[in-house]
Amino acid sequence: MDPSEDEILTGEIAALGTVVGASGRLTGGVAKRLKKNVHEIDLVIPLPFDDAVKRVADVLGGAGRAVEPVRVEPGGDRWTIRVVVGAGVGGMNPVVVTALVTRDGEGGSAVGLRAAAKEGLIKQRAGEKTAVRLAALLSE
């Protein structure tokens, strides 16, 4: 079973807490209660499906680290790629980015990009900013 965005974000924040000397259990508990900043962008990449999957995997892989292996959906017409990207001040705010690449009948490939980050007292809009930045890279 794939971990949820919340589970991944909570684990990442707990791990950061232990790096700075805080209890991972305490920071993980606090992270569970934080609201998420989520942003979704749909775009079409004018590439054949296999090339589009490679492009998305390369761009997301260059921006962060894979959370789980690339997963092929039944029929081979959908691929899901998920990474964790550092955002905000010093790249310390983890953002879970999920891309769903789908074969598009128009000769291109559709990409649904979703970025989610936990938000504390200071709203950084890390999910929104990360989604916009990665969508721009994918559109180049």
Side-chain angles (χ1 to χ4, degrees):
M1 175 188 246
D2 294 338
S4 72
E5 282 176 345
D6 284 324
E7 291 169 333
I8 295 167
L9 289 169
T10 299
E12 293 287 325
I13 292 170
L16 283 172
T18 60
V19 169
V20 297
S23 163
R25 191 171 182 180
L26 175 64
T27 54
V30 171
K32 284 181 184 180
R33 290 166 180 73
L34 296 174
K35 291 184 180 182
K36 278 194 300 189
N37 172 250
V38 177
H39 194 70
E40 296 181 357
I41 298 174
D42 293 322
L43 50 131
V44 175
I45 297 177
L47 293 171
F49 180 69
D50 292 334
D51 294 338
V53 169
K54 182 177 178 348
R55 170 96 174 119
V56 172
D58 288 348
V59 169
L60 267 59
R65 67 176 169 75
V67 174
E68 58 205 29
V70 174
R71 186 175 65 234
V72 181
E73 301 295 333
D77 290 341
R78 296 167 42 129
W79 283 61
T80 303
I81 302 164
R82 182 177 271 179
V83 298
V84 174
V85 176
V89 177
M92 298 295 286
N93 190 1
V95 181
V96 175
V97 180
T98 306
L100 175 62
V101 184
T102 308
R103 193 179 306 271
D104 192 13
E106 311 270 324
S109 301
V111 178
L113 194 62
R114 176 184 169 93
K118 294 287 189 170
E119 290 282 312
L121 292 174
I122 299 171
K123 306 299 182 210
Q124 297 183 36
R125 296 188 332 267
E128 179 181 344
K129 291 176 182 178
T130 301
V132 169
R133 180 174 59 86
L134 292 175
L137 290 172
L138 288 170
S139 298
E140 289 179 348

